[in-house]
């Protein structure tokens, strides 16, 4: 979801990094899934994207088997 947010016109990793107080490489690595964001960075991303990117967006997608099992409960 962060990568989709950053792909929007007028939105840059540089601006988000500056607003979040981290390096551009941190933002781009998080967007590519190469780095897990800290709790503080999750909060900053949520704040500076005005809620368009949420902490839950960084959780792994459940597998099909997990989804079926959850629906049976």
């Amino acid at each position: 979801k962060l990568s989709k947010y950053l792909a929007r016109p007028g939105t840059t990793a540089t601006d988000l990094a500056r607003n979040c107080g981290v390096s551009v490489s941190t933002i781009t690595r998080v967007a590519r899934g190469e780095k897990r964001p800290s709790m503080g960075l999750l909060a900053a991303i949520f704040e500076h994207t005005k809620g368009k990117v949420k902490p839950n967006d960084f959780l792994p997608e459940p597998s099909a088997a997990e989804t079926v099992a959850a629906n049976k409960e």
Side-chain angles (χ1 to χ4, degrees):
K1 183 111 182 202
L2 179 58
S3 59
K4 288 180 184 178
Y5 176 83
L6 293 173
R8 295 172 30 178
T11 305
T12 68
T14 301
D15 289 338
L16 184 58
R18 184 179 328 116
N19 290 334
C20 292
V22 297
S23 68
V24 175
S25 66
T26 295
I27 292 295
T28 57
R29 287 172 45 217
V30 168
R32 289 191 305 258
E34 296 172 3
K35 178 177 174 60
R36 293 185 68 170
S38 66
M39 293 300 289
L41 182 54
L42 287 172
I45 290 171
F46 179 76
E47 176 184 348
H48 295 291
T49 63
K50 297 181 174 44
K52 290 180 177 64
V53 181
K54 299 170 182 60
N56 285 352
D57 295 334
F58 294 94
L59 295 175
E61 293 289 326
S63 69
E66 291 170 326
T67 302
V68 170
N71 289 334
K72 287 183 178 179
E73 293 178 0

